[in-house]
Amino acid sequence: MERNNHTVTEFILLGFTTDAGMQLGLFVVFLGVYSLTVVGNITLMVLICNDSRLHTPMYFFIGNLSFLDLWYSSVYTPKILVTCISEDKSISFAGCLCQFFFSAGLAYSECYLLAAMAYDRYMAISKPLLYARAMSIKLCASLVAVSYLGGFINSSVITKKTFSFNFCRENIIDDFFCDLLPLVKLACGDKGGYMVLMYFLLASNVISPALLILASYLFIIATVLRISSSQGRLKAFSTCSSHITSVTLYYGSILYIYAFPRGSSYSLDTDKIVSTFYTVVFPMLNPMIYSLRNKDVKEALNKLLP
């Protein structure tokens, strides 16, 4: 009998495996990753708030990125942990909708925020004399606010469209969270308009910020190449290395998943691994990326610790 989105009351998340031993092992791994994510991001935020030397535009953005990553990981990981140790693999329709909404909103917001951070690096390197005045706290706060606003407005659009489908097939999601492609695979009806909308949102929320980041770094490279000393060029590039690493890892995984949908017959095995990286592992890595080789953060940490 055909079921629609009003009669489907829950979805079943298959997760990674049905083997009880492996599920317990995955629980330990995800618990460890999430613990590091929480400790790392909160520590970085505390350091930035506590140390006046870190009260700069660059660290303002890094602090907001830590907050976003902490929130982003918390959308997924607690449910993954419950699913690993519980026989109940279900998630309610409302719960799935909320997870999807926050997942998309935070993913889009991070794309915009990474673009704002690239603009900050461009101003710092290409226009150092104007940097302090141009990157005012008002502008920085506005860029962060616009990142969230743009992300969640677009998330509202794609969430409304996704959950207006008739879910007339099985309510089993072959993934560990309520993601776009597995949900569309369960949906019935004409998906042509939906795919157009998906590609439009991909272009406006992922590709466009990526192009802004690329343009910023092209200007940065042009500026750095005009620096006469090799030490000066190395120092300028070193201020961007963390951001470049973060952008490469995040955009690489997202574009792999969403830029080239596989249609109704695609396999989710590899996609699950990549999805795990940008939803669970990446938020843990960001504090390390921005602090391990950062002298200012290390000094702030030494100052904080007894």
Side-chain angles (χ1 to χ4, degrees):
M1 181 179 293
E2 183 176 282
R3 295 179 296 178
N4 58 40
N5 59 318
H6 295 291
T7 58
V8 171
T9 59
E10 65 179 19
F11 295 96
I12 306 300
L13 300 172
L14 291 184
F16 296 93
T17 179
T18 56
D19 183 85
M22 289 189 66
Q23 285 184 342
L24 182 59
L26 287 172
F27 173 82
V28 174
V29 171
F30 280 117
L31 180 61
V33 170
Y34 187 57
S35 299
L36 289 173
T37 300
V38 172
V39 172
N41 283 289
I42 289 179
T43 299
L44 192 53
M45 287 188 288
V46 169
L47 291 177
I48 292 171
C49 292
N50 185 64
D51 198 308
S52 59
R53 292 172 298 178
L54 304 182
H55 293 174
T56 65
M58 181 179 77
Y59 290 109
F60 176 80
F61 287 118
I62 291 174
N64 278 278
L65 182 65
S66 288
F67 173 74
L68 191 153
D69 281 338
L70 180 60
W71 187 3
Y72 195 27
S73 180
S74 298
V75 170
Y76 307 101
T77 314
K79 182 60 180 176
I80 294 174
L81 293 173
V82 171
T83 303
C84 285
I85 60 174
S86 172
E87 293 184 359
D88 183 10
K89 311 297 181 184
S90 66
I91 182 171
S92 68
F93 185 89
C96 187
L97 185 150
C98 289
Q99 189 182 64
F100 184 94
F101 171 74
F102 285 106
S103 168
L106 292 169
Y108 293 153
S109 298
E110 184 145 350
C111 290
Y112 288 123
L113 186 57
L114 288 172
M117 294 172 74
Y119 176 72
D120 171 72
R121 291 298 82 210
Y122 159 72
M123 291 298 297
I125 294 173
S126 300
K127 302 181 183 298
L129 298 179
L130 299 175
Y131 178 66
R133 184 174 62 181
M135 297 302 295
S136 64
I137 186 62
K138 182 178 180 180
L139 176 62
C140 293
S142 298
L143 289 173
V144 171
V146 169
S147 297
Y148 279 108
L149 184 64
F152 279 99
I153 286 176
N154 286 287
S155 176
S156 300
V157 174
I158 193 66
T159 300
K160 183 177 184 299
K161 188 68 175 177
T162 301
F163 285 86
S164 66
F165 274 124
N166 290 328
F167 295 104
C168 55
R169 297 188 174 94
E170 291 183 337
N171 64 337
I172 299 175
I173 297 177
D174 189 8
D175 211 332
F176 60 93
F177 69 104
C178 293
D179 200 11
L180 186 150
L181 297 179
L183 282 168
V184 173
K185 190 177 179 180
L186 298 179
C188 294
D190 181 19
K191 302 174 186 177
Y194 182 86
M195 298 307 291
V196 171
L197 174 64
M198 192 189 79
Y199 278 117
F200 172 77
L201 292 177
L202 178 71
S204 59
N205 293 285
V206 180
I207 306 299
S208 294
L211 292 176
L212 291 174
I213 292 171
L214 179 61
S216 297
Y217 276 105
L218 288 176
F219 283 114
I220 288 172
I221 291 171
T223 300
V224 170
L225 291 177
R226 291 197 294 267
I227 299 176
S228 56
S229 69
S230 58
Q231 186 177 0
R233 289 195 295 269
L234 183 62
K235 183 178 179 181
F237 273 128
S238 67
T239 64
C240 305
S241 60
S242 297
H243 182 256
I244 292 173
T245 302
S246 183
V247 167
T248 302
L249 294 175
Y250 186 71
Y251 272 92
S253 55
I254 280 196
L255 290 175
Y256 175 86
I257 295 291
Y258 298 107
F260 305 103
R262 286 74 162 169
S264 60
S265 61
Y266 74 100
S267 172
L268 279 166
D269 292 340
T270 305
D271 289 7
K272 286 181 185 180
I273 298 173
V274 179
S275 296
T276 303
F277 181 81
Y278 78 81
T279 56
V280 178
V281 179
F282 183 75
M284 177 194 70
L285 293 178
N286 257 344
M288 302 178 188
I289 292 171
Y290 286 100
S291 61
L292 286 180
R293 297 177 59 187
N294 191 306
K295 182 181 176 181
D296 293 334
V297 173
K298 289 180 180 178
E299 290 179 353
L301 182 61
N302 291 331
K303 181 181 176 181
L304 181 67
L305 295 176

